[in-house]
Amino acid sequence: MLRLLVTGGMGFIGSNFIRYALRTRSVWTIVNLDKLTYAGNPANLADIQSCDGGGRYRFVLGDIQDSALVTRILDEGIDVVVNFAAESHVDRSIMDPVPFLQTNVLGTQALLDAVRGRSLERFVQVSTDEVYGPAPAEIVFTEETPFRPTNPYAASKAAADLLCFSSHKTYGTPVVIGRPTNNYGPCQYPEKFIPLVITRALENEPIPIYGDGQQIRDWLYVEDNCEALCWLAEAGQPGEVYNIAARTGVPNREVAERILNLVGRPVSLLRSVADRPAHDRRYALDDTKIRVAMGLFPAWTLDRGLEATVQWYVAHPQWWRPIKSGEYRRFYEDWYSQR
Ligand code: NAD
Ligand code: DAU
């Protein structure tokens, strides 16, 4: 048996992780602590909620900064913490960095403080390739590459990684850090590029492409990331960092064109808009370390992953249409009216 505390489990990757872990790890139990910000959506785990994961899953509404609450959960018996909870959207961090510092930096420190001195097997920190900053052409970054974050979100995640290292060195906290590239797949909030392109294409709306659209991201299907993070939770070496990648570097415009092709919409929907400030041109990671340690990885090609993702959004308009009103609409108008 392995008892997990998963934070931020109502968000995109966290909810996929919980569903995947309950399916593939029959002896795991999971407590999901989530504050339900705009990005946290109980509908992401409605199927698990209704069957209660066979008694192996429980949701707790709350903030990772609430030390008393976190302590109560830990007191019930937890072997592994997996920290997904974060403000995750780069554009929002450019508009207002403060919530990013609160959750990503102070929230991570609050969790580290809460686990200090406890007999925990692992504290898995879900970091990001953005901590390294942009990779020059032909270069791939290893786990030893120095941090060069360029936007407030990336800086807050780099700060969290440093706090994790310091907790490991100072107090012996069994920290394991995973640094995944850009994820995509079901239940991703439509502020992010791939679901934004899919949902706007489905509604025949213009699709904003920042600058020349030649920026490169390494698109990792969320289920492959979940398998890697499950492996970190059960076998990651405390004190170590693991890059998690797909090696699918493709320019944004090409990704959008592939999606339009799948949805059957014209490329004339793509509109060049003013670039994001400090827009990192390219991300590319060397993930040899985790591939060697885990064996076979990843399982999804970009073509298959995009097809599955498009199919999911086509089949679930009841999931994304309500999101696109209210808070989302206000954010969209604020941000894109400046572009
Ligand atoms: P998301 O924005 O979809 O979800 C974040 C979740 O955290 C939400 O459910 C939200 O309610 C919850 N949350 C926020 N603040 C909280 C707090 N103070 N206390 C408790 N819960 C809180 O994010 P995501 O895209 O699923 O990303 C998850 C993690 O993975 C983040 O740490 C992010 O930095 C990292 N990451 C994401 C990607 C990606 O492509 N999406 C890639 C690499 C790393
Ligand atoms: O690299 C990992 C990171 O990936 C994660 O740590 C972040 O949490 C996650 O949000 C993501 O950051 P990006 O900024 O790379 O993702 P986003 O989906 O916002 O943008 C992907 C690319 O698409 C990026 O080059 C910007 C571009 N883009 C994005 C939007 C929203 C556009 O051209 N137009 C858009 O409207």
Side-chain angles (χ1 to χ4, degrees):
M1 185 162 95
L2 200 69
R3 298 162 300 178
L4 272 72
L5 166 58
V6 171
T7 70
M10 286 301 191
F12 161 51
I13 307 178
S15 61
N16 277 283
F17 175 85
I18 289 172
R19 181 175 295 97
Y20 184 80
L22 290 174
R23 193 177 85 227
T24 59
R25 268 70 174 174
S26 59
V27 292
W28 287 16
T29 64
I30 298 179
V31 178
N32 173 11
L33 171 64
D34 197 298
K35 185 182 171 184
L36 297 185
T37 67
Y38 78 90
N41 186 350
N44 293 355
L45 286 175
D47 52 332
I48 306 280
Q49 293 280 33
S50 56
C51 68
D52 192 27
R56 294 162 54 212
Y57 170 77
R58 184 161 67 89
F59 172 62
V60 176
L61 175 63
D63 194 316
I64 55 170
Q65 291 192 78
D66 182 344
S67 305
L69 175 61
V70 173
T71 298
R72 276 203 301 281
I73 297 170
L74 293 171
D75 283 345
E76 290 168 16
I78 292 292
D79 306 304
V80 174
V81 174
V82 185
N83 182 27
F84 290 97
E87 290 295 333
S88 69
H89 195 43
V90 172
D91 295 335
R92 289 185 192 250
S93 81
I94 293 168
M95 295 172 88
D96 180 9
V98 172
F100 289 74
L101 302 186
Q102 269 155 0
T103 289
N104 302 4
V105 183
L106 296 176
T108 301
Q109 184 59 50
L111 282 178
L112 291 166
D113 287 341
V115 302
R116 199 156 101 196
R118 287 175 181 266
S119 61
L120 204 66
E121 287 186 26
R122 286 176 192 81
F123 182 105
V124 179
Q125 172 68 6
V126 184
S127 178
T128 169
D129 60 357
E130 295 212 10
V131 298
Y132 302 116
E138 312 296 331
I139 301 288
V140 284
F141 288 157
T142 70
E143 288 83 358
E144 274 72 51
T145 301
F147 288 173
R148 289 219 169 104
T150 63
N151 62 65
Y153 161 74
S156 72
K157 295 294 288 186
D161 281 16
L162 293 175
L163 293 168
C164 287
F165 286 132
S166 79
S167 183
H168 173 69
K169 293 279 180 204
T170 312
Y171 309 109
T173 308
V175 167
V176 178
I177 297 182
R179 295 203 182 120
T181 57
N182 282 66
N183 279 222
Y184 69 104
C187 298
Q188 186 167 29
Y189 196 80
E191 66 190 354
K192 304 293 194 309
F193 186 61
I194 285 184
L196 180 112
V197 174
I198 297 171
T199 56
R200 291 188 73 83
L202 288 172
E203 303 219 303
N204 283 305
E205 288 173 332
I207 295 163
I209 300 289
Y210 295 162
D212 63 5
Q214 294 310 306
Q215 305 85 1
I216 292 178
R217 297 292 181 267
D218 177 4
W219 295 103
L220 172 66
Y221 192 66
V222 66
E223 203 171 285
D224 281 330
N225 188 29
C226 291
E227 176 54 33
L229 293 171
C230 282
W231 183 85
L232 292 190
E234 59 203 353
Q237 189 64 30
E240 293 291 317
V241 179
Y242 299 84
N243 287 342
I244 306 170
R247 306 188 190 179
T248 60
V250 176
N252 292 337
R253 181 171 279 272
E254 187 186 323
V255 171
E257 287 172 0
R258 288 201 205 180
I259 291 170
L260 287 170
N261 188 36
L262 286 167
V263 178
R265 297 290 191 276
V267 290
S268 57
L269 281 180
L270 302 182
R271 301 287 154 79
S272 285
V273 300
D275 209 347
R276 168 191 282 174
H279 193 171
D280 289 341
R281 195 77 185 157
R282 175 172 174 267
Y283 294 138
L285 295 187
D286 179 344
D287 63 342
T288 309
K289 183 173 172 179
I290 197 165
R291 287 197 188 200
V292 168
M294 279 182 67
L296 198 63
F297 177 78
W300 289 74
T301 61
L302 183 58
D303 279 340
R304 199 159 72 90
L306 281 180
E307 216 175 289
T309 306
V310 166
Q311 277 169 10
W312 188 86
Y313 282 89
V314 168
H316 294 86
Q318 76 283 7
W319 183 89
W320 56 267
R321 283 225 169 90
I323 292 175
K324 286 206 152 187
S325 57
E327 194 280 341
Y328 178 87
R329 181 158 295 283
R330 280 193 299 281
F331 159 73
Y332 195 91
E333 280 160 11
D334 269 12
W335 176 253
Y336 289 93
S337 65
Q338 301 165 31
R339 316 242 76 74

